[in-house]
Amino acid sequence: MGVIGVLMSIMFRMQIAWPEEPNILFEALLGKWAPGGVMDADIYLALVTIHGTIMVFFVLTAGLSGTFSNLLIPLQIGARDMASGFLNMISYWLFFLSSVIMIISLFVEAGPAAAGWTIYPPLSALPMAQGGSGMGMTLWLVSMAIFIASSLLGSLNYIVTVINLRTKGMSMTRLPLTVWAFFVTAIIGVVSFPVLLSAALLLIMDRSFGTSFFLSDIFIQGEVLHYQGGSPVLFEHLFWFLGHPEVYIVILPAMGMVSEIMASNSRKPIFGYRAMIASILAIAFLSTIVWGHHMFISGMNPFLGSVFTFTTLLIAIPSAVKAFNWITTIWKGNLQMNTAMLFSIGFVSTFITGGLTGIILGDSALDINVHDTYFVIAHFHLVMGISALYGMFAGVYHWYPRMFGRMMNKNLGYIHFWVTAICAYGVFFPMHFIGMAGLPRRYYTNSAFPLFDDLANVNVVITVFAIIGGAFQLVFLYNFFVSIFFGKKAPQNPWRSTTLEWTAPVKHIHGNWPGEIPHVYRWAYDYSKPGHDVDFVPQNIPLKEGEEELQH
């Protein structure tokens, strides 16, 4: 899904950079939607819609929560398996089915869903509104309903596993921050995903059964439709009640993994362990009461806007606590600059950069000026998209030996990091400036507006960086798959980490550990502890006589 999502973004970036110019790639991939190699306006919006859907839900949500929660929760808490293997299997196959349906929607004759990834009515509620409002939109809604079911089953499984299956001695305050992040992420998912499911079901009823939940006083080509009494703004509320917690469903697992990787590669205990847990919990709570900042120009009561501004700016506090704690963790540490550590530091960089622009967008008075411009795209791609991808890459490089018993090629990892880091800023940094200049998002060409002629060259630069950055992800894929078979054999604990997953044998066995499950005697971050011969003490090593357990 990631490959498809990135390919779509490269296609519509090429359209923005060189509008109306014939392109052999468009002709080959889009067929009738690109007559003579020139992209049709309708398919442009469809590509934007499906790209956003795939990247937010199928890559970032599933890639971080789905993949790493299943791998790490049982291993790090000392469990034989997840609480319910059966639920896990259903969750995976529902995800697979929803992915297949989303891909099938690309081949519908009238075109895939084309109302933006937020699928606001009335475009999404009236099948006759445009080509992309027909069967493609119906398949989108069915796919998302199945995806939500998959996500809920997975989340319930993670919560029950963490609460019930911890090994002897593994109290909640001895859990690695990765498990805390996965646990709280699952709770946010259980709270917020059902709201999007209800919105999708009501939308299906509006489309197929003549109801008017989100429709009122609609005219099409002078004809008055029979809908009345509904409100499209109601859909916005329901969508963003999931949509904003979704940002943290994506970023929290990355935060947890980065905390773990930074402590391990700094050879220092994580700074402010309890403050990190408190900030995860604070982010989880605050994320459910800030959704209105996406709707400042929807006609919202200014007083309500000021309430959402306050709660939005409040969430900067726990986010800043995490950023300062990461910086303090690596301060004067014995840094091991492997690929996972580089991506973790890159994560902190993009999280801070993207977070700063969030202060502007979270303020109702300032947001009005840049709402629906490229400034918004720059902000959320940096803080959520790129940061979460960096967290995912860091996790893959760090736990790869645990997955496959082999090491990934370090030099290819360095190439992957540096090109990705330069290209990510090359794409999204200039977008802040064209956004402040007023360039609107989702327009398939800006050539009709002389006002924006001066920005055309900036769009070309952005697109060149996007193409290079997208192409170099092939280096990662090559490294990943080739290393499975030909990578250097990994030792039991290649990073000299303290958590339980490195005590299990590299060989995959059912039940994770042969014989007895290890017991836990200390917290997860005993690095460089005075009185020990080595600079790490695994959690399953009993305390020496007179040794105190640390917990910062």
Side-chain angles (χ1 to χ4, degrees):
M1 293 301 270
V3 171
I4 294 167
V6 170
L7 189 61
M8 285 179 169
S9 68
I10 288 172
M11 284 167 67
F12 62 68
R13 280 299 333 162
M14 290 167 79
Q15 162 63 24
I16 299 167
W18 301 288
E20 313 302 331
E21 287 186 26
N23 188 311
I24 193 167
L25 182 69
F26 295 168
E27 203 161 16
L29 292 177
L30 299 177
K32 71 168 187 174
W33 296 107
V38 177
M39 187 185 289
D40 185 80
D42 288 343
I43 200 65
Y44 175 84
L45 188 55
L47 287 174
V48 172
T49 301
I50 305 298
H51 160 80
T53 305
I54 285 177
M55 296 309 282
V56 171
F57 296 109
F58 294 86
V59 176
L60 298 177
T61 304
L64 282 152
S65 290
T67 312
F68 287 102
S69 295
N70 278 310
L71 172 75
L72 293 176
I73 286 177
L75 282 165
Q76 291 200 330
I77 67 171
R80 295 279 184 207
D81 201 347
M82 298 295 285
S84 169
F86 180 67
L87 272 189
N88 231 13
M89 179 189 71
I90 296 175
S91 172
Y92 170 74
W93 285 112
L94 286 177
F95 168 75
F96 180 79
L97 179 62
S98 78
S99 300
V100 169
I101 293 172
M102 190 60 75
I103 299 303
I104 287 172
S105 79
L106 298 174
F107 300 96
V108 172
E109 188 176 354
W117 78 278
T118 53
I119 57 158
Y120 285 171
L123 279 182
S124 58
L126 294 169
M128 70 290 280
Q130 57 172 358
S133 300
M135 175 57 79
M137 178 58 71
T138 303
L139 289 172
W140 191 101
L141 289 164
V142 170
S143 170
M144 283 311 302
I146 297 170
F147 175 87
I148 291 164
S150 155
S151 185
L152 284 171
L153 290 177
S155 295
L156 290 169
N157 216 355
Y158 306 147
I159 293 167
V160 173
T161 305
V162 172
I163 291 174
N164 289 339
L165 296 187
R166 301 191 308 278
T167 187
K168 188 175 178 187
M170 181 63 86
S171 63
M172 292 299 277
T173 51
R174 285 176 175 172
L175 286 175
L177 289 171
T178 29
V179 178
W180 266 107
F182 297 142
F183 176 60
V184 174
T185 300
I187 293 171
I188 305 176
V190 169
V191 168
S192 58
F193 262 118
V195 180
L196 183 63
L197 182 60
S198 66
L201 293 176
L202 295 178
L203 197 52
I204 288 170
M205 292 174 76
D206 272 11
R207 290 171 58 78
S208 306
F209 303 111
T211 57
S212 301
F213 291 108
F214 306 129
L215 292 169
S216 179
D217 307 327
I218 298 285
F219 295 76
I220 287 193
Q221 294 174 343
E223 180 194 348
V224 184
L225 302 188
H226 64 276
Y227 299 103
Q228 59 186 47
S231 168
V233 177
L234 170 62
F235 180 86
E236 289 190 40
H237 279 289
L238 293 174
F239 181 89
W240 287 115
F241 189 82
L242 161 92
H244 203 81
E246 169 65 24
V247 172
Y248 295 98
I249 289 171
V250 164
I251 205 77
L252 276 177
M255 287 176 164
M257 293 194 293
V258 162
S259 303
E260 177 76 25
I261 293 165
M262 280 197 163
S264 182
N265 287 304
S266 299
R267 316 311 298 161
K268 277 177 65 183
I270 191 79
F271 185 88
Y273 173 78
R274 289 173 188 269
M276 288 294 233
I277 295 171
S279 63
I280 289 173
L281 295 170
I283 285 171
F285 170 68
L286 289 170
S287 73
T288 59
I289 55 170
V290 297
W291 78 90
H293 67 220
H294 296 269
M295 301 168 54
F296 284 145
I297 66 165
S298 65
M300 178 188 288
N301 182 311
F303 172 74
L304 190 57
S306 67
V307 172
F308 280 119
T309 296
F310 175 71
T311 55
T312 302
L313 298 182
L314 215 53
I315 211 165
I317 297 171
S319 301
V321 167
K322 299 193 84 61
F324 283 122
N325 282 12
W326 288 320
I327 293 166
T328 317
T329 299
I330 63 176
W331 178 254
K332 293 193 174 177
N334 177 17
L335 303 185
Q336 319 290 305
M337 283 299 186
N338 50 44
T339 316
M341 184 63 163
L342 287 174
F343 271 111
S344 298
I345 294 169
F347 168 93
V348 178
S349 167
T350 52
F351 183 70
I352 293 171
T353 313
L356 287 172
T357 52
I359 295 172
I360 295 165
L361 294 171
D363 186 300
S364 52
L366 296 175
D367 175 68
I368 292 169
N369 303 289
V370 288
H371 192 90
D372 256 344
T373 68
Y374 271 83
F375 191 89
V376 180
I377 295 181
H379 159 72
F380 80 77
H381 275 86
L382 273 180
V383 80
M384 179 179 121
I386 299 297
S387 296
L389 278 176
Y390 281 1
M392 194 192 300
F393 286 139
V396 170
Y397 282 107
H398 186 75
W399 280 288
Y400 192 89
R402 177 60 265 166
M403 294 185 237
F404 300 108
R406 293 181 183 271
M407 306 292 283
M408 289 178 81
N409 184 300
K410 195 159 77 169
N411 292 332
L412 287 179
Y414 288 155
I415 292 169
H416 176 222
F417 169 74
W418 283 111
V419 175
T420 303
I422 292 164
C423 289
Y425 272 127
V427 170
F428 297 114
F429 206 72
M431 279 190 191
H432 292 92
F433 299 103
I434 60 176
M436 285 191 284
L439 193 69
R441 60 196 284 203
R442 293 183 182 160
Y443 281 28
Y444 85 109
T445 174
N446 301 300
S447 52
F449 305 97
L451 170 70
F452 300 130
D453 286 349
D454 292 344
L455 305 178
N457 290 338
V458 183
N459 263 325
V460 172
V461 170
I462 290 171
T463 302
V464 170
F465 274 119
I467 293 168
I468 296 169
F472 265 83
Q473 302 318 302
L474 295 173
V475 173
F476 169 74
L477 293 175
Y478 171 83
N479 195 359
F480 186 93
F481 288 109
V482 169
S483 298
I484 292 174
F485 305 103
F486 305 109
K488 201 173 91 182
K489 278 269 174 71
Q492 172 87 16
N493 187 355
W495 316 121
R496 297 178 301 144
S497 296
T498 58
T499 40
L500 286 183
E501 74 269 28
W502 304 106
T503 65
V506 173
K507 188 180 170 209
H508 293 180
I509 56 167
H510 186 67
N512 290 336
W513 286 271
E516 196 180 351
I517 294 174
H519 292 176
V520 168
Y521 300 97
R522 57 183 71 235
W523 75 318
Y525 300 103
D526 266 348
Y527 291 103
S528 303
K529 193 172 184 187
H532 287 270
D533 299 331
V534 287
D535 69 349
F536 72 108
V537 191
Q539 285 187 278
N540 60 328
I541 303 293
L543 293 169
K544 291 179 179 178
E545 197 175 331
E547 183 185 357
E548 285 186 28
E549 186 181 358
L550 293 177
Q551 263 183 16
H552 294 277

